Amino acid sequence: MTAKIIAVANQKGGTGKTTLAMTLSGTLGRRGHRVLVVDADPQGSATRWAASAPDSTPFPAAVSGLSAAGAKVHREVKKYVEDYDFIVIDCPPAADSPVPMSALMIADLALVPVIPSPPDLWAAVGIRQVIANVRESINENLDARLVANMCQTNTEVAREALEVMQDFGIPVAQTKLHHRTAYRQAAAFGGTVHALGSKAAGAIVEIDEFTDEVLALIATSRVTAVATTILTEETNHGPTVDA
Ligand SMILES: Nc1ncnc2c1ncn2[C@@H]1O[C@H](COP(=O)(O)OP(=O)(O)O)[C@@H](O)[C@H]1O
Ligand SMILES: [Mg+2]
């Protein structure tokens, strides 16, 4: 099976890209899927997350550091598409980095984690533009979701921001991820929130629901075939995209 490709992107740092990429990948891996996380951020947070796992319980997905590939990340990823069921690309935060564009060219789904607050939503305008450009030029079937992360739904500002998110131009994922210590703990021990058991019941329920939602979204995606054709042509006739 050719891997479905999910790019986690937002030019703002600290919105939860790595947390989302690792938690989603780990959850898919725990369910028996073959998953590769592509760590496309030179900060290497995804790589460190997996490296924190003890030998006895390795992180349930492979992680490969490909940040050096820069604008050619799509070509590197292409080499792995027949070996995995899912490839999740953790993009760097820099607005001017060519990596998100390269990742989105071959992605079935873009996930944009956003903290529900006005400045965080304004900061996501850049990635919305990149998604629009990629759809226009090369990957018209690219699907995308804003993911409300670190939600504190009991605050008025968060409630208002969640409402404003609905009009942002990228649909909002139904499942919201709340601000929970369990996500930080999972990074520290190199696993997913599932390992924390009943202490992390809320996090486990929401990440399982989120994973189900992602699986339903990409079940019918046709993007990989389109992108693979583009990339094959690119290989045969030289680069057609410089981004
Ligand atoms: N839902 C959440 N609840 C609590 N802490 C979170 C949550 N999501 C992310 N964090 C924390 O916020 C910080 C930034 O998250 P990270 O995933 O590294 O963001 P990014 O990759 O976008 O820079 C980290 O310390 C992470 O543990
Ligand atoms: Mg990160």
Side-chain angles (χ1 to χ4, degrees), residues 14-239:
T15 63
K17 289 178 290 300
T18 301
T19 303
L20 187 64
M22 293 304 278
T23 312
L24 173 64
S25 302
T27 305
L28 289 167
R30 285 174 58 94
R31 293 185 185 187
H33 299 291
R34 298 170 304 161
V35 186
L36 173 68
V37 180
V38 169
D39 186 355
D41 184 349
Q43 282 180 21
S45 313
T47 306
R48 271 201 286 269
W49 183 313
S52 303
D55 290 344
S56 53
T57 45
F59 186 75
V63 179
S64 178
L66 289 181
S67 64
K72 306 291 181 217
V73 124
H74 58 284
R75 290 194 187 172
E76 293 301 315
V77 171
K78 197 190 156 208
K79 295 176 187 164
Y80 299 100
V81 291
E82 297 307 330
D83 300 329
Y84 291 93
D85 303 317
F86 297 97
I87 297 178
V88 179
I89 309 175
D90 184 24
C91 291
D96 51 358
S97 164
V99 172
M101 176 92 177
S102 173
L104 292 168
M105 274 164 44
I106 50 160
D108 296 83
L109 175 67
L111 295 176
V112 181
V114 172
I115 300 168
S117 80
D120 284 272
L121 208 47
W122 301 329
V125 167
I127 195 70
R128 181 179 66 187
Q129 189 58 48
V130 175
I131 290 170
N133 292 348
V134 169
R135 279 183 179 148
E136 222 168 87
S137 59
I138 201 160
N139 190 356
E140 63 180 306
N141 294 325
L142 171 65
D143 206 352
R145 290 292 180 278
L146 284 184
V147 183
N149 185 34
M150 299 195 224
C151 289
Q152 294 173 305
T153 31
N154 50 349
T155 67
E156 196 169 332
V157 66
R159 269 197 301 273
E160 281 172 12
L162 279 168
E163 266 173 43
V164 176
M165 276 172 78
Q166 307 294 333
D167 301 322
F168 186 71
I170 300 175
V172 183
Q174 271 175 1
T175 316
K176 293 168 186 42
L177 306 178
H178 291 84
H179 191 282
R180 300 181 194 275
T181 320
Y183 292 112
R184 293 182 181 198
Q185 289 173 316
F189 64 74
T192 72
V193 291
H194 301 86
L196 293 164
S198 56
K199 278 187 296 187
I204 294 168
V205 167
E206 70 188 14
I207 204 64
D208 279 340
E209 275 178 22
F210 180 73
T211 304
D212 292 342
E213 187 177 348
V214 166
L215 285 173
L217 274 173
I218 57 179
T220 53
S221 100
R222 293 168 293 123
V223 177
T224 305
V226 176
T228 303
T229 310
I230 291 162
L231 292 167
T232 310
E233 282 169 3
E234 193 178 302
T235 310
N236 291 344
H237 310 301

